[in-house]
Amino acid sequence: MNFKLVKKLSETAGPSGFEHRIREVISNEISSYVDSIKTDNMGNLIAFKKGKSDKKFMIAAHMDEIGFIVTHIDDKGFLKFTTLGGFDPKTLTAQRVIVHGKKDVIGVMGAKPIHVMTPEEREKKITIKDFFIDLGMEKSDVEKIVEIGTPISRERECIEMGNCINGKSLDNRIAVFILIETIKNLKNKELPFDTYFTFTVQEEVGLRGAQVAALNIQPDVAIALDTTIAYDVPGSSPQEQITILGAGPGIKIMDSSVICNTNLVAFMKNIATKNKIPFQAEIMQGGGTDTGMLQKMVAGGAIAGAVSIPTRHLHQVIESVHKDDVENSIKLLTLISNSIDKL
């Protein structure tokens, strides 16, 4: 596995609506492996490879990450902010962030110390509004760098941890990595369908990039790549776990945005079984993915499904995926792309 690339993708900033840095990294990585590459008005990066048939196959992985955006600078230079995507507030206390102003500066998430809280405050559920960001500078210095609307990302190193990869924004940078590696695997292959490898924007704030891309491409068949919950940890019951780390990629049955095409689900399962690729049937009752937009933003509807990467600690400061699941996702997606005409 090319961990150096995984690390670069994880650590590169790209909050929803501000994906320009990660888009450049991806474009540089894949440009020599496809027939053409372009960025649409929304910011989606679309790489195209001509196939034997003019039928359209679209594979989408969102490249944005959850982040923050500055809403106020107070008299002492502290920043107030709102979120770009969903966060569990309890995970943010005393965490470092990067504020992407005229230059990048490090900040720290602050909140009221427990030592000065009343008993009632200690029992109260913490919210995003309770936090501020401390840049260690006076207001006059902060305002030379930061303004209202400046994006913010998390500051975290991506590491190898046992059989896993651990870092920020593996939702969805691990799927971006899988799609990049699949593109490389297909370099010298004549694909059955015209294939659109799409890196979408603004998924974390409402699947917006996928909506625009699907409307433009109008795919006959579409597959989304995204992470899914692996709640295989102490305190969970089997029915809560959704997926298990290391047991193979998830083949999505449904989530809150989509019920996947049953023929495509069976096709994907059959490919995995024939090629001895472990997989898990995935049903996620809460949360949606780009799959929903890929399915319904096409005249007459697209045949849509998804490959999901089991991930622990989703939408927290750091997330974990298993290396075997990543490698098996690449194998599965490569085989699907080579044989999508057999669907």
Side-chain angles (χ1 to χ4, degrees):
M1 179 185 295
N2 185 354
F3 176 71
K4 183 177 179 182
L5 177 57
V6 174
K7 181 177 174 68
K8 186 174 185 179
L9 293 170
S10 170
E11 294 177 4
T12 299
S16 299
F18 300 89
E19 298 93 348
H20 50 283
R21 295 187 189 189
I22 188 64
R23 183 170 52 242
E24 183 178 2
V25 170
I26 298 166
S27 181
N28 290 339
E29 194 68 30
I30 66 172
S31 58
S32 63
Y33 295 91
V34 294
D35 296 333
S36 64
I37 190 166
K38 68 176 184 179
T39 301
D40 67 16
N41 290 339
M42 189 78 179
N44 298 305
L45 183 68
I46 303 169
F48 174 75
K49 190 172 174 63
K50 183 65 181 171
K52 289 183 284 186
S53 165
D54 60 1
K55 282 192 173 182
K56 297 177 180 179
F57 179 39
M58 179 180 179
I59 311 172
H62 75 85
M63 60 180 161
D64 59 311
E65 63 179 320
I66 53 175
F68 314 94
I69 189 168
V70 176
T71 59
H72 179 70
I73 305 170
D74 76 8
D75 290 341
K76 294 185 178 180
F78 295 111
L79 308 181
K80 296 296 285 185
F81 59 89
T82 192
T83 56
L84 295 170
F87 276 94
D88 181 352
K90 71 176 182 290
T91 68
L92 299 179
T93 301
Q95 298 291 335
R96 289 194 185 108
V97 295
I98 306 173
V99 181
H100 303 287
K102 292 178 181 177
K103 64 178 182 179
D104 287 354
V105 290
I106 300 293
V108 177
M109 289 278 186
K112 189 172 184 179
I114 193 170
H115 310 77
V116 295
M117 287 183 178
T118 64
E120 291 77 16
E121 287 174 327
R122 292 184 187 187
E123 295 297 322
K124 181 183 173 185
K125 183 178 178 180
I126 194 166
T127 70
I128 291 292
K129 291 181 179 180
D130 295 317
F131 289 97
F132 57 85
I133 294 173
D134 179 6
L135 297 180
M137 294 186 281
E138 301 295 329
K139 183 180 183 180
S140 59
D141 294 322
V142 171
E143 289 182 327
K144 293 174 184 176
I145 304 167
V146 181
E147 62 185 6
I148 306 304
T150 296
I152 304 162
S153 65
R154 291 160 292 169
E155 189 273 330
R156 276 286 177 162
E157 181 184 4
C158 184
I159 63 170
E160 295 178 272
M161 186 182 75
N163 295 319
C164 294
I165 297 167
N166 178 265
K168 79 168 183 71
S169 307
L170 294 181
D171 175 11
N172 195 37
R173 301 299 169 69
I174 201 63
V176 168
F177 172 75
I178 289 165
L179 186 50
I180 288 173
E181 294 301 288
T182 300
I183 291 170
K184 292 176 180 178
N185 286 347
L186 297 171
K187 180 181 181 181
N188 297 316
K189 303 289 186 181
E190 187 177 16
L191 300 179
F193 289 177
D194 285 351
T195 303
Y196 297 80
F197 306 102
T198 308
F199 300 87
T200 62
V201 296
Q202 298 191 38
E203 189 271 353
E204 296 290 3
V205 290
L207 318 180
R208 300 171 187 176
Q211 180 177 6
V212 169
L215 279 167
N216 178 44
I217 294 169
Q218 292 289 291
D220 295 285
V221 184
I223 289 177
L225 300 176
D226 209 333
T227 54
T228 189
I229 293 168
Y231 184 43
D232 55 336
V233 295
S236 69
S237 59
Q239 67 267 25
E240 293 177 305
Q241 291 176 353
I242 302 179
T243 60
I244 298 169
L245 240 59
I251 294 177
K252 187 180 292 292
I253 308 299
M254 65 171 287
D255 61 30
S256 66
S257 72
V258 70
I259 299 173
C260 295
N261 180 277
T262 54
N263 290 334
L264 180 55
V265 169
F267 175 72
M268 293 164 69
K269 287 181 177 180
N270 187 48
I271 288 178
T273 300
K274 281 186 174 181
N275 291 276
K276 298 182 180 179
I277 299 171
F279 69 89
Q280 306 176 68
E282 181 228 356
I283 293 178
M284 188 167 67
Q285 297 181 56
T289 63
D290 278 346
T291 321
M293 289 301 177
L294 303 185
Q295 182 186 62
K296 66 185 181 182
M297 290 296 113
V298 178
I303 296 170
V307 174
S308 304
I309 302 90
T311 307
R312 287 181 187 154
H313 324 303
L314 267 176
H315 279 227
Q316 299 188 38
V317 177
I318 50 174
E319 299 161 330
S320 291
V321 297
H322 198 287
K323 294 177 184 178
D324 289 349
D325 293 336
V326 176
E327 295 286 7
N328 282 317
S329 295
I330 296 167
K331 291 176 186 177
L332 179 59
L333 189 61
T334 300
L335 290 164
I336 291 169
S337 301
N338 271 324
S339 59
I340 196 65
D341 58 328
K342 303 297 192 298
L343 174 63

